[in-house]
Amino acid sequence: DKMAATALVEGSSGNDAVAEGLLDLLRPAIQQLDLHVNSVRKSQVELREHIDGLATELCRINEHQKVALDLDPYVKKLLNARRRVVLVNNILQNAQERLRRLNHNVAKETARRKTILETSGVFASRSPSKP
């Protein structure tokens, strides 16, 4: 029975090593991508704030100017751009949540495989001839 367990662990340890290597390779990439998404989201918030400020300023200029210059189309364009920025920010937020879940799953799988490999080390260190 111990021999069968040892053979099973030894047969799957090569697959586990490959999976462990892949997980170790993915983890930094996922973390890096998460940092970049977070940075872009912050930029999107800043952009949205600047658009809001510009729209407010154009409305104020439009109300106080003596020359009839219609700035409403420009305000509408700014508000449309703001809407698109908000949409992009929502997409980025969803992507970031998925990345965090993926990172969490990679960490869980890495811990699980590490436990399996440690357990297989215990089995492999025992001599199959001992009862």
Side-chain angles (χ1 to χ4, degrees):
D1 194 27
K2 284 184 182 179
M3 287 180 65
T6 302
L8 178 65
V9 168
E10 287 174 356
S12 66
S13 65
N15 291 337
D16 287 341
V18 170
E20 183 72 24
L22 285 173
L23 290 172
D24 287 342
L25 184 66
L26 285 175
R27 186 180 303 111
I30 291 169
Q31 291 170 342
Q32 185 75 15
L33 190 55
D34 186 52
L35 288 174
H36 288 303
V37 168
N38 196 34
S39 175
V40 171
R41 285 186 61 206
K42 286 179 183 177
S43 296
Q44 293 284 312
V45 168
E46 290 175 16
L47 180 58
R48 188 184 70 220
E49 290 170 354
H50 286 296
I51 289 172
D52 288 345
L54 278 172
T56 301
E57 188 65 22
L58 281 177
C59 287
R60 189 188 64 74
I61 289 170
N62 203 25
E63 290 171 1
H64 291 94
Q65 70 179 337
K66 297 186 175 146
V67 179
L69 179 63
D70 189 17
L71 296 177
D72 285 340
Y74 301 105
V75 171
K76 287 179 184 174
K77 284 182 182 182
L78 279 172
L79 293 177
N80 190 32
R82 181 191 187 281
R83 183 184 59 79
R84 286 186 300 223
V85 167
V86 169
L87 288 174
V88 168
N89 198 33
N90 289 339
I91 292 167
L92 286 171
Q93 184 175 1
N94 290 335
Q96 190 170 33
E97 288 170 9
R98 288 184 193 138
L99 279 172
R100 287 185 178 149
R101 282 194 306 267
L102 181 61
N103 193 27
H104 176 73
N105 290 340
V106 166
K108 274 180 27 180
E109 184 65 15
T110 300
R112 185 184 76 79
R113 289 185 181 275
K114 185 177 180 184
T115 302
I116 290 171
L117 289 174
E118 288 171 352
T119 304
S120 71
V122 170
F123 285 131
S125 67
R126 292 184 183 163
S127 172
S129 61
K130 289 185 180 176

